[in-house]
Amino acid sequence: MKRKTAGDWGILLVAVLIGLLIAVPFLMILINSFKSPADYNATGPLTLPSELYFDGMTAFWERVNFPEKLWNSFFISSVVAILAVVISMLNAFALGIGRVRGRTWIVVLILLANMLPQEVLLYPLYFMFKQVGLYDNQWAVIIIFVVIQSAFGTYLLASVYGTFPKEILEAASIDGANRWTILWRVVFPISRPTLSVLVIFFFIWTWNEFLIPLTFLVSNATQTVPVSIAVLQGDRLMDVTTTSASALLGLLPTLIFFLIFQRTLTRGITAGAVK
């Protein structure tokens, strides 16, 4: 077994420090979520609670109708993740394997469009969805994020499919497979680990989005978890401990989702690295 060098120990130390910096905010949220306002005022944010206090979490749960907001976020994120991956795969198949004309310029255009800040898109999208009657409708947010996420997915998968072994494709064509069959029977099974990683990333990214849902979901019944937290904080109806409880409740679903699919994520990244 190779002995660790000073450089290896230095990298390990930096990684541990970065991990601690990432973990500290979460630990502070966790500690203060179960403190009473009086306990927080007396001991500050860095000490453990003298007793477990659940009223802050209960108050937030009831004020925003948290199960409704949880379902809204789950519905939007799930639909976006699935549709964006499917569209990305179809686009990337045409660009990376189908070899359409001007594929390089198309990929560059998609990349440039994906780099636009969301603030630039707000007014045109607001005007457009107002005209078609989808403003304050969850499908407006779904359509926007499907386009945004699939642009990134197309750029990534087009590069992957561009290096796809031609021998496999030629063998499938000789056996009589058409384009559709090659996509679903050959390309899709081989690229499934990469697609799984994209589904996980698209779900988490969409769940954490704030600006566009805040702009397009004005009704209380259509809002997502991040928007409901921000709106309630803006109404100044919550103390520090209730705010921490709301942040914890908003963070837990994505953390649970990540832990459930952690093995899938690791396998997908490893498979991509090996290929």
Side-chain angles (χ1 to χ4, degrees):
M1 183 177 178
K2 183 181 177 181
R3 295 185 60 184
K4 291 186 179 295
T5 63
D8 295 332
W9 286 110
I11 294 173
L12 180 61
L13 179 61
V14 172
V16 170
L17 291 176
I18 293 175
L20 290 175
L21 289 175
I22 295 173
V24 165
F26 175 75
L27 292 175
M28 290 186 64
I29 291 173
L30 183 64
I31 291 172
N32 292 295
S33 296
F34 299 99
K35 277 185 181 179
S36 66
D39 193 4
Y40 179 88
N41 293 330
T43 61
L46 300 179
T47 58
L48 294 174
S50 57
E51 60 179 358
L52 294 180
Y53 178 84
F54 296 96
D55 289 359
M57 198 168 295
T58 304
F60 172 74
W61 186 284
E62 294 175 350
R63 285 177 186 174
V64 303
N65 191 4
F66 188 72
E68 179 184 64
K69 305 305 182 291
L70 192 64
W71 165 250
N72 291 341
S73 288
F74 179 79
F75 172 72
I76 292 173
S77 301
S78 300
V79 174
V80 168
I82 294 171
L83 291 180
V85 167
V86 171
I87 294 174
S88 299
M89 183 177 63
L90 295 175
N91 292 341
F93 181 77
L95 294 171
I97 295 178
R99 298 291 181 178
V100 299
R101 288 185 177 182
R103 61 178 297 273
T104 302
W105 290 105
I106 295 174
V107 172
V108 170
L109 184 62
I110 291 173
L111 177 61
L112 292 176
N114 196 53
M115 294 171 63
L116 288 174
Q118 293 184 359
E119 292 80 1
V120 176
L121 306 174
L122 284 182
Y123 179 74
L125 291 174
Y126 169 81
F127 181 79
M128 180 178 68
F129 285 113
K130 268 283 191 180
Q131 293 297 312
V132 299
L134 283 179
Y135 183 69
D136 196 21
N137 189 306
Q138 293 177 357
W139 282 102
V141 176
I142 289 173
I143 292 171
I144 293 171
F145 283 134
V146 165
V147 174
I148 293 175
Q149 309 289 30
S150 62
F152 173 80
T154 299
Y155 170 75
L156 178 66
L157 288 177
S159 302
V160 175
Y161 288 174
T163 60
F164 205 87
K166 294 181 179 180
E167 295 79 8
I168 298 178
L169 303 176
E170 292 173 355
S173 298
I174 293 174
D175 290 340
N178 56 27
R179 294 270 182 174
W180 189 255
T181 304
I182 291 175
L183 173 61
W184 291 108
R185 296 292 181 88
V186 179
V187 176
F188 173 71
I190 294 177
S191 60
R192 188 179 297 172
T194 304
L195 298 177
S196 301
V197 172
L198 284 180
V199 168
I200 296 171
F201 281 160
F202 288 168
F203 182 93
I204 295 177
W205 290 347
T206 306
W207 183 286
N208 291 326
E209 284 290 346
F210 174 73
L211 181 60
I212 288 178
L214 177 67
T215 304
F216 289 89
L217 302 177
V218 295
S219 297
N220 184 59
T222 61
Q223 291 174 350
T224 59
V225 171
V227 174
S228 65
I229 294 173
V231 169
L232 196 56
Q233 290 176 354
D235 289 340
R236 299 181 180 179
L237 296 175
M238 295 194 296
D239 49 57
V240 175
T241 57
T242 307
T243 302
S244 299
S246 68
L248 180 63
L249 286 174
L251 176 65
L252 281 179
T254 52
L255 182 61
I256 294 172
F257 178 85
F258 175 79
L259 292 176
I260 292 174
F261 293 99
Q262 182 183 12
R263 182 171 297 179
T264 302
L265 182 64
T266 304
R267 287 177 178 174
I269 295 175
T270 303
V274 171
K275 291 176 184 178

